[in-house]
Amino acid sequence: MTPSTVAILSTALSFGAPLLLAVYEIVTMRRSPRGGGDDDDDRRPPVVAPQPKPLPDCLRPENLLRRGRIPDLEDA
Protein backbone atom coordinates (compact mmCIF):
# COMPACT_ATOMS: atom_id res chain seq x y z
CA MET A 1 0.00 0.00 0.00
CA THR A 2 1.13 3.49 -0.66
CA PRO A 3 1.77 5.86 2.23
CA SER A 4 -1.17 8.06 1.24
CA THR A 5 -3.56 5.06 1.33
CA VAL A 6 -2.30 4.10 4.78
CA ALA A 7 -2.80 7.67 6.00
CA ILE A 8 -6.35 7.84 4.62
CA LEU A 9 -7.34 4.46 6.08
CA SER A 10 -5.76 5.28 9.44
CA THR A 11 -7.62 8.60 9.59
CA ALA A 12 -10.91 6.96 8.62
CA LEU A 13 -10.45 4.29 11.29
CA SER A 14 -9.38 6.79 13.96
CA PHE A 15 -12.07 9.40 13.36
CA GLY A 16 -14.68 7.77 11.15
CA ALA A 17 -15.69 4.79 13.31
CA PRO A 18 -16.11 6.76 16.58
CA LEU A 19 -17.99 9.46 14.68
CA LEU A 20 -20.34 6.90 13.15
CA LEU A 21 -20.95 5.32 16.56
CA ALA A 22 -21.71 8.73 18.09
CA VAL A 23 -24.18 9.59 15.31
CA TYR A 24 -25.83 6.18 15.69
CA GLU A 25 -26.28 6.72 19.44
CA ILE A 26 -27.81 10.16 18.91
CA VAL A 27 -30.24 8.86 16.30
CA THR A 28 -31.36 5.93 18.47
CA MET A 29 -31.85 8.16 21.52
CA ARG A 30 -34.17 10.53 19.65
CA ARG A 31 -36.18 7.79 17.96
CA SER A 32 -39.68 7.37 19.37
CA PRO A 33 -40.76 3.91 20.52
CA ARG A 34 -42.19 1.65 17.86
CA GLY A 35 -45.93 1.92 17.43
CA GLY A 36 -45.78 5.68 17.90
CA GLY A 37 -49.43 6.14 18.89
CA ASP A 38 -51.00 7.96 21.79
CA ASP A 39 -51.82 4.60 23.36
CA ASP A 40 -48.19 4.25 24.49
CA ASP A 41 -48.65 7.08 27.00
CA ASP A 42 -51.61 5.34 28.64
CA ARG A 43 -49.54 2.27 29.53
CA ARG A 44 -46.91 4.21 31.45
CA PRO A 45 -47.51 4.60 35.18
CA PRO A 46 -48.19 8.19 36.24
CA VAL A 47 -45.24 10.10 37.64
CA VAL A 48 -45.78 10.80 41.33
CA ALA A 49 -43.71 13.52 42.94
CA PRO A 50 -42.15 12.40 46.23
CA GLN A 51 -43.83 13.91 49.25
CA PRO A 52 -41.59 15.56 51.85
CA LYS A 53 -41.32 13.82 55.20
CA PRO A 54 -43.23 15.51 58.02
CA LEU A 55 -41.29 17.45 60.63
CA PRO A 56 -40.63 15.70 63.92
CA ASP A 57 -42.59 16.94 66.92
CA CYS A 58 -39.57 18.70 68.40
CA LEU A 59 -39.29 20.95 65.31
CA ARG A 60 -42.94 21.83 64.76
CA PRO A 61 -43.56 25.55 65.26
CA GLU A 62 -46.66 25.10 67.41
CA ASN A 63 -44.75 22.86 69.84
CA LEU A 64 -41.85 25.31 70.03
CA LEU A 65 -44.22 28.17 70.91
CA ARG A 66 -45.85 26.13 73.66
CA ARG A 67 -42.50 25.36 75.24
CA GLY A 68 -41.42 28.99 75.07
CA ARG A 69 -38.30 28.30 73.03
CA ILE A 70 -38.97 31.09 70.53
CA PRO A 71 -38.63 34.43 72.30
CA ASP A 72 -40.78 37.37 71.33
CA LEU A 73 -38.73 39.92 69.43
CA GLU A 74 -38.81 43.47 70.78
CA ASP A 75 -38.17 46.68 68.90
CA ALA A 76 -34.67 48.04 69.45
Side-chain angles (χ1 to χ4, degrees):
M1 281 200 282
T2 63
S4 60
T5 306
V6 171
I8 290 171
L9 292 176
S10 176
T11 303
L13 185 60
S14 296
F15 297 110
L19 185 63
L20 285 175
L21 286 174
V23 169
Y24 173 75
E25 290 294 325
I26 290 172
V27 168
T28 57
M29 279 188 346
R30 291 186 181 176
R31 186 178 297 167
S32 63
R34 302 216 180 238
D38 291 336
D39 299 335
D40 294 338
D41 295 334
D42 295 336
R43 287 184 272 179
R44 293 185 196 150
V47 177
V48 178
Q51 297 294 326
K53 294 181 181 178
L55 286 174
D57 288 337
C58 63
L59 293 178
R60 291 194 174 193
E62 59 270 4
N63 290 342
L64 291 175
L65 287 174
R66 267 189 263 152
R67 293 181 190 162
R69 289 190 181 183
I70 300 178
D72 293 331
L73 300 176
E74 299 177 2
D75 291 333

